Structure formats: C-alpha cells, structure tokens
Amino acid sequence: MFTRDFVYLGVSALQVVLAALMTPILTRRVGVGQFGQLTLAIVVAQLLGVTFNLGLPFAAQKVFAGKDGD
C-alpha cells in the first residue's frame, strides 16, 4: 500500500492543500497595489510547476519487468 505512488500522491496533494490554504491568507494581507503582483506570482509558480514537472511523477511510476522477470 505504501509505495512510490502513495508518496507522489501525498506530495501532490500537499502542494494543492498548501496553495489552497495560503492563497486567501496572503491575498488579505497585501495591499491593493501588491495584489496584482501576488496573483501574477501565484500564476507563474503554478505554470512553472506544471512545465518543469514534465509528467515525471507519472513517468517514474511506469516500471516494466525485464526479460529475466526483474
């Protein structure tokens, strides 16, 4: 049950949960002039995460058995 898949799922879920918790807190703490910069930073961070991820968690899970059975 506790395999690599579980770790990848946990880390991915943690990222989403932390973003969901921190975004409302941060948006209420910044001023009107900084709100646009904060939203731009959040969008850029989300896009870079998807871009640099390159599907690695899904590709790393695919392990195929060799001819010798390993």
Side-chain angles (χ1 to χ4, degrees):
M1 179 173 150
F2 297 105
T3 61
R4 256 191 326 226
D5 301 337
F6 187 72
V7 174
Y8 289 133
L9 178 64
V11 172
S12 297
L14 182 65
Q15 178 185 2
V16 171
V17 168
L18 284 176
L21 290 175
M22 293 304 297
T23 300
I25 294 169
L26 289 174
T27 55
R28 284 168 179 78
R29 293 187 56 88
V30 299
V32 175
Q34 297 171 334
F35 184 77
Q37 291 176 342
L38 176 65
T39 55
L40 179 63
I42 291 171
V43 168
V44 168
Q46 293 294 324
L47 289 175
L48 288 176
V50 171
T51 303
F52 289 129
N53 193 2
L54 298 175
L56 183 61
F58 302 109
Q61 295 176 26
K62 296 184 182 215
V63 177
F64 299 104
K67 292 182 181 181
D68 59 353
D70 288 337

